[in-house]
Amino acid sequence: MTDGMAEFVGVLHVHSTFSDGVMSLAEIREWALTEELDFVCVTDHSKRLRDTRLAEFCSECERLSTNVLLVPGVEFEHSGRHVLTIAPADVLTTLTDEIAVRDPETVRQRGGLTIWAHPSLTYAVSLRDAVATPYDGWEIWNRKVDGPAPNLPVLSLLRGLGSGREILSFAGLDMHEQIGDTLPRLSLRTAESELTLASLIDSMRAGDYTIVIDAARSMTPNSRAINLSLSLRVRSYARHATTRARCTAAALKHRVLTGVWP
Ligand SMILES: [Zn+2]
Ligand SMILES: [Zn+2]
């Protein structure tokens, strides 16, 4: 703890057996304890959390939240786009795929947070519309989709939006089974000494966190400062080339389908 602020390290975007992950919430908790994490945002797929399953999922996260905070979240899906939503349980249960994906302002007003998941995977469907939708953040690094370095085209797209738009950069794991190597974590700073869902959402919304790869390599959510090692940079540029090609193909496909450039 420094200057009265507490620091908590955790990860975003993990799937459990409540949707298509192979680890149960109890196993995720065990894994988090060995990784010395303070929190895990579990964001299971909305289509597997219908009816009473969502409430069950939320109370199971609460029950298992000893020594590590299991944050219940949902990965909503609409218009070919995936959106991670973190919100109090009583708010999560009021949301639908359409609200979370098309109307993040409503989620915000209800106290929740929305993050456009793996943007490059859904470019082909509606890039312009997605860019215009006011999500709190974008997952500029999805460990499963983007590999061991952030997605540079997504990062440059985000930077290219210019001032006037405050969009946070997030790194997520999209973990369905245990990942062996590079694990981007979020290091949150909170004014309270105990981490709660409310303080976690507040810090994320305020951009009071750093994406941490290890002690020497980190990036801030506004993405102005990136400090990556050379090997990571090389991998990220290689990744850049492939994603760029994929984005161009997606943009062309979009133009063919709609007659409009995204
Ligand atoms: Zn997804
Ligand atoms: Zn996912």
Side-chain angles (χ1 to χ4, degrees):
M1 201 192 283
T2 49
D3 58 33
M5 302 285 282
E7 198 138 348
F8 298 99
V9 177
V11 292
L12 173 73
H13 201 163
V14 171
H15 293 281
S16 78
T17 45
F18 268 88
S19 67
D20 57 355
V22 301
M23 292 162 87
S24 67
L25 288 175
E27 286 165 336
I28 288 172
R29 178 180 174 276
E30 285 305 313
W31 168 80
L33 290 175
T34 35
E35 292 285 335
E36 298 184 342
L37 301 177
D38 299 307
F39 66 91
V40 177
C41 298
V42 187
T43 49
D44 271 315
H45 295 283
S46 57
K47 55 175 180 283
R48 305 283 281 273
L49 293 172
R50 302 284 188 232
D51 307 317
T52 54
R53 290 258 311 160
L54 179 56
E56 235 174 85
F57 166 67
C58 292
S59 53
E60 188 69 355
C61 283
E62 196 183 337
R63 190 179 71 79
L64 290 166
S65 283
T66 47
N67 301 322
V68 54
L69 181 66
L70 292 189
V71 179
V74 177
E75 181 168 5
F76 287 102
E77 206 175 321
H78 191 267
S79 319
R81 206 179 305 149
H82 294 192
V83 171
L84 308 174
T85 301
I86 295 165
D90 59 333
V91 173
L92 268 187
T93 47
T94 68
L95 301 176
T96 61
D97 288 297
E98 192 164 2
I99 295 174
V101 173
R102 307 218 52 99
D103 187 13
E105 188 53 47
T106 293
V107 180
R108 192 154 40 240
Q109 281 164 9
R110 293 182 194 174
L113 193 87
T114 52
I115 301 163
W116 181 16
H118 44 69
S120 66
L121 271 193
T122 49
Y123 273 178
V125 189
S126 57
L127 180 57
R128 190 165 55 174
D129 181 51
V131 166
T133 310
Y135 300 115
D136 295 298
W138 290 8
E139 194 180 41
I140 53 104
W141 185 2
N142 178 297
R143 180 63 188 75
K144 183 179 140 221
V145 174
D146 303 319
N151 189 308
L152 296 190
V154 172
L155 205 49
S156 23
L157 181 66
L158 183 62
R159 283 166 155 174
L161 294 180
S163 56
R165 286 284 301 277
E166 278 285 336
I167 301 173
L168 299 161
S169 305
F170 283 95
L173 301 185
D174 214 344
M175 182 169 107
H176 292 75
E177 55 199 318
Q178 221 163 303
I179 300 174
D181 54 359
T182 333
L183 203 66
R185 300 146 196 258
L186 301 180
S187 175
L188 286 184
R189 285 159 55 83
T190 69
E192 290 152 46
S193 58
E194 205 183 321
L195 185 67
T196 61
L197 178 60
S199 60
L200 175 131
I201 292 177
D202 283 352
S203 308
M204 281 187 175
R205 199 189 294 291
D208 261 339
Y209 64 88
T210 316
I211 298 171
V212 181
I213 304 154
D214 58 41
R217 295 171 292 174
S218 65
M219 51 195 290
T220 58
N222 66 16
S223 311
R224 295 283 184 277
I226 306 178
N227 171 17
L228 295 173
S229 74
L230 185 64
S231 68
L232 266 189
R233 212 170 299 174
V234 168
R235 278 191 280 187
S236 100
Y237 278 104
R239 192 77 209 165
H240 187 170
T242 19
T243 319
R244 224 191 136 101
R246 206 167 58 198
C247 295
T248 311
L252 282 169
K253 187 172 156 205
H254 180 82
R255 189 164 83 137
V256 170
L257 288 176
T258 63
V260 190
W261 275 109

